[in-house]
Amino acid sequence: MTPSPPARSAPQHPHRITLADFRAAAREVLPATAFDYLEGGAADERTVRWNAEAYERLALLPRVLTGTSGVDTRRTLYGTELPSPIVLAPTASHGLFHPEAEAATVRGAAATGALTTVSTFSTLTLEEIGAAATGPWWFQLYVQRDRALTEELVHRAREAGAGACVVTVDTPVTGLRERDLRNGFALPSHGTPANLASPGGPSAGSSTGAPGSTHQGIHDPRIDPAVGWSDLERLRTVSGLPVLAKGIVRPDDARRAAEAGIGVWMSNHGGRNLDTATAPLATLPAVADAVAGRVPIVVDGGIRRGTDVVKALALGADAVALGRPYVWGLAVDGADGVSATLRALHRETELALALLGAPDLASLTPDLVGPAW
């Protein structure tokens, strides 16, 4: 069963001011199967819940009488100054949510100065996305069994303007996406990945794009399950780009990445792979200690409020990444919807900084965070 393209007129929401408001609007606009594909996690979806609950279990301990008259949210990542520490995580198949697909996403992000991370499984080609992008973007890579194709993808991304390569390391196999299995979901033509549309590339039923593929066994015939540290080091050499490993939650893995000069992207794939995997926020302080400032740390998973952003940064993250929320905006109002979600979260982050007595991101220190009970 495949959904029809989403409707283009969102219900009227004059007070759409939070990420939750955009989620509600997206649910009304999108076919149920597409919404489930976006929202669903693995198995019982405990990790999806834990990602958000990890932030709820922490309280903020604001400073007062600091004489702070303004806040500065700027953050520099690999030499690129960004107005905010909020970046866009890679999500697949934007054509499933809006006819302009990733072109709308990168335009919406650029309107706020935000950095976009483009998925290997984008609906548009890397060249089309690069042509539409007026702001910074990174390329997310699933290492292919065909290593020549892998290097070709990285070279194409760099030529199209990508500033870094984010290698997903937590997906040797795809998780048990039960919502998609029950829905009989397969990617329709307007969501099919474009960058691998060649012999050996994924079909609409690819398990990396959606469960229920035609191949047998747990492994995808294209995605290499045996990626090692040497592969990341080689990618950094052949690409000439900074490389980040996306999917780290353990301090020992983070230490090894930092020792190799590989950036750390803390993630459990939005709870979509291994159910009951820990929330990244739970291990962030230990990971920050292991990294010791040698490479950037990006954290995703469960961030829905500006207070979540400042908690993650106070505990050691350099930036946070949004996945589902900006896709809600994309579904509701294309590029403008992406911009609106980012502006809403940025405003909340500014307010949180001001109320914490923190004039800038460097002022976000661990003593500002404690247990909620």
Side-chain angles (χ1 to χ4, degrees), residues 1 24 43-44 52 60-61 66 81 102 110 139 144 156 235 250 259 335 340:
M1 178 179 180
D44 295 316
L60 292 169
L61 305 170
T66 61
E81 184 177 277
E102 288 82 11
F139 172 58
Q144 308 289 295
R156 286 175 55 198
L235 280 169
R250 294 172 55 97
E259 289 171 350

Side-chain angles (χ1 to χ4, degrees), residues 51 54-55 248-249 266-268 278-285 287 299-301:
N51 282 347
Y55 288 94
I248 288 177
V249 293
M266 296 188 68
S267 178
N268 56 31
T278 187
L281 189 71
T283 57
L284 173 56
V287 165
V299 176
D300 70 28

Side-chain angles (χ1 to χ4, degrees), residues 63-140:
R63 303 183 186 103
V64 298
L65 301 175
T66 61
T68 301
S69 60
V71 295
D72 182 357
T73 61
R74 289 176 295 176
R75 173 64 85 208
T76 298
L77 293 175
Y78 292 115
T80 300
E81 184 177 277
L82 304 170
S84 166
I86 304 163
V87 304
L88 276 62
T91 57
S93 306
H94 290 192
L96 187 62
F97 308 106
H98 191 275
E100 295 179 13
E102 288 82 11
T105 302
V106 294
R107 287 201 307 271
T112 68
L115 182 149
T116 305
T117 313
V118 173
S119 171
T120 295
F121 292 96
S122 58
T123 306
L124 300 181
T125 66
L126 294 168
E127 291 76 13
E128 290 171 322
I129 295 168
T134 57
W137 62 282
W138 294 347
F139 172 58
Q140 174 271 333

Side-chain angles (χ1 to χ4, degrees), residues 292-305:
R294 288 174 288 182
V295 294
I297 299 174
V298 180
V299 176
D300 70 28
I303 294 163
R304 299 295 181 266
R305 285 286 192 177

Side-chain angles (χ1 to χ4, degrees), residues 241-261:
L241 295 172
V243 170
L244 298 89
K246 180 179 179 291
I248 288 177
V249 293
R250 294 172 55 97
D252 52 353
D253 284 336
R255 183 178 296 109
R256 184 162 184 177
E259 289 171 350

Side-chain angles (χ1 to χ4, degrees), residues 165-217:
C165 181
V166 178
V167 184
T168 293
V169 297
D170 63 357
T171 312
V173 298
T174 305
L176 184 63
R177 315 267 175 89
E178 293 181 0
R179 292 200 204 191
D180 293 340
L181 292 171
R182 291 192 177 97
N183 289 336
F185 179 83
L187 286 175
S189 58
H190 57 275
T192 302
N195 292 304
L196 302 177
S198 60
S203 66
S206 165
S207 68
T208 304
S213 69
T214 57
H215 68 259
Q216 300 299 311

